[in-house]
Amino acid sequence: VSLALTKVSESPAFLKPRLDELTTNIIEQLARSDRIPEFMRMRQASIDDGDSPAAAAPTMERMARLYFERGGKLIRPTIVMLMASACNQEVCTLLQTLYFDFARGSHLPIDCEADGISAKKASIAMIAEMIHVASLVHDDVIDESPLQADTRRGAPSVNAYWGNKMAVLAGDFILARATQALCQIGDPSVISTSAKIIEDLVVGEFMQMSPELTGDQRSDLQDQRSVCTSLSDRLELYMQKSEHKTGSLFANACKSVAMLASASDEELHELAAEYGRHLGLAFQLIDDAIDYEEEEEGDIGAAGKPIAVDLEQGLITGPLLLAVESETDLQNLLRAPLAEIREKVRRSGACERTRELATTHARRAAEIAMSLRSTNGASEALASLALKQLERRV
């Protein structure tokens, strides 16, 4: 797939109004069936009058809305909606091919002229964003870096205002409302597929914590030898962790809308899932390369989040693994000061090799996208978004 596709707009005209509705729909989902006592809602009103959020009593809805009202790139719902549209057109094309004579002059069971994003498919996009944001809220608590934990999208996080316990509850609340929305889909197979995203996020977090080197562990690598005995083991664990933490959300959300487009087309389901998986892996690999490419540790990048924090937290990611030739080299390198480790990784060319690995996954995602026969630009936009990951520097 040509890199020239990166010049294709990733936002066809039909997508913008859909994305404009998304945040409103999320806020409505969070505010639905409000069970907060009246006196707490009255105290909360001072926030809407312009006071600092910390000045009012926190409520689940207020804390949850704090993240969504700041905006964001909405990359996940964008991908899901584009996949929904592309799958709808793929199914239409297949029906027209198989039943051309029958369909001529007749009404196809699918509206091929519409964008193909039904209410249920739009709900999957909304749910994917809610699950993602809930994971960010929880990550802010889990992170040991004060800078990372206290900011999100360039502004104070929930735990910076109200503490870690409240932040955990806010994340749980978002997940609960996302689960309620998921149950309303009414399709057990789709519900099960999308629910796997949450399970994989938890598994991925466990996998990330297992090979972690923090505090005194930096000088005691015995535990690390028991977890992974070779660089190949570590790299495999890293890729599996990335697939669980990042790839699963893209993969299972895309698969869910493909299932809604055609319940019986398993080949389409797997194509959609594979696109999401490869996109997610490329996304994570680029993120990890950026963490070493930035010059100053702890800087706030254009994405509104701190950079160069993985190593500070003791996380062993792709660039670090690709910077050494043996387990012994890795252990020796990890004993060095953090600044020296980062400099050696940059000089080794590991960031470039990480980007090359990301390129493999991004190109595969783009190939899959272009195999979907859409006429409204959805396939091209999916391919473009996959390849554009390779240009990211923040």
Side-chain angles (χ1 to χ4, degrees), residues 1 83 271 274-280 282 359-371 379 382-383 386-387:
V1 178
M83 181 59 74
L271 276 176
E274 279 298 288
Y275 170 86
R277 186 178 75 85
H278 285 290
L279 174 67
T359 299
T360 300
H361 289 287
R363 286 183 179 275
R364 179 57 187 145
E367 289 170 359
I368 293 171
M370 293 304 295
S371 73
S379 295
L382 286 169
L387 295 174

Side-chain angles (χ1 to χ4, degrees), residues 107-271:
H107 178 66
L108 283 173
I110 299 175
D111 186 358
C112 296
E113 300 303 320
D115 61 20
I117 307 174
S118 66
K120 289 184 178 181
K121 294 172 191 171
S123 289
I124 295 295
M126 178 187 75
I127 291 162
E129 182 68 3
M130 293 177 75
I131 293 174
H132 167 61
V133 170
S135 74
L136 297 184
V137 178
H138 286 158
D139 280 350
D140 287 340
V141 177
I142 294 170
D143 273 327
E144 294 184 1
S145 167
L147 182 61
Q148 174 74 11
D150 289 344
T151 61
R152 177 63 66 180
R153 291 176 176 171
S157 57
V158 167
N159 53 320
Y161 280 133
W162 295 299
N164 285 341
K165 290 183 179 179
M166 286 295 190
V168 170
L169 291 175
D172 291 346
F173 178 72
I174 296 171
L175 283 178
R177 287 296 165 92
T179 302
Q180 290 174 355
L182 181 58
C183 290
Q184 293 171 2
I185 298 294
D187 185 319
S189 297
V190 173
I191 293 172
S192 177
T193 297
S194 289
K196 193 174 187 298
I197 296 170
I198 301 175
E199 176 188 349
D200 284 346
L201 280 170
V202 175
V203 171
E205 192 64 47
F206 270 108
M207 294 174 71
Q208 178 167 284
M209 293 172 67
S210 294
E212 199 172 38
L213 288 174
T214 55
D216 294 339
Q217 288 180 315
R218 295 190 194 280
S219 60
D220 181 7
L221 298 169
Q222 185 60 44
D223 290 341
Q224 292 302 293
R225 297 192 189 102
S226 67
V227 175
C228 296
T229 57
S230 69
L231 283 179
S232 61
D233 288 339
R234 287 185 182 274
L235 188 58
E236 181 179 356
L237 179 66
Y238 162 72
M239 294 301 291
Q240 289 177 359
K241 180 270 296 180
S242 298
E243 188 168 339
H244 279 80
K245 285 203 68 178
T246 308
S248 176
L249 194 154
F250 287 106
N252 286 301
C254 285
K255 183 176 181 179
S256 293
V257 293
M259 294 168 74
L260 289 170
S262 174
S264 60
D265 193 342
E266 294 186 3
E267 182 178 353
L268 181 63
H269 304 168
E270 291 310 308
L271 276 176

Side-chain angles (χ1 to χ4, degrees), residues 24-36:
T24 299
N25 292 339
I26 291 176
I27 298 302
E28 289 178 355
Q29 182 68 19
L30 294 174
R32 186 174 53 83
S33 301
D34 192 353
R35 299 168 63 185
I36 304 301

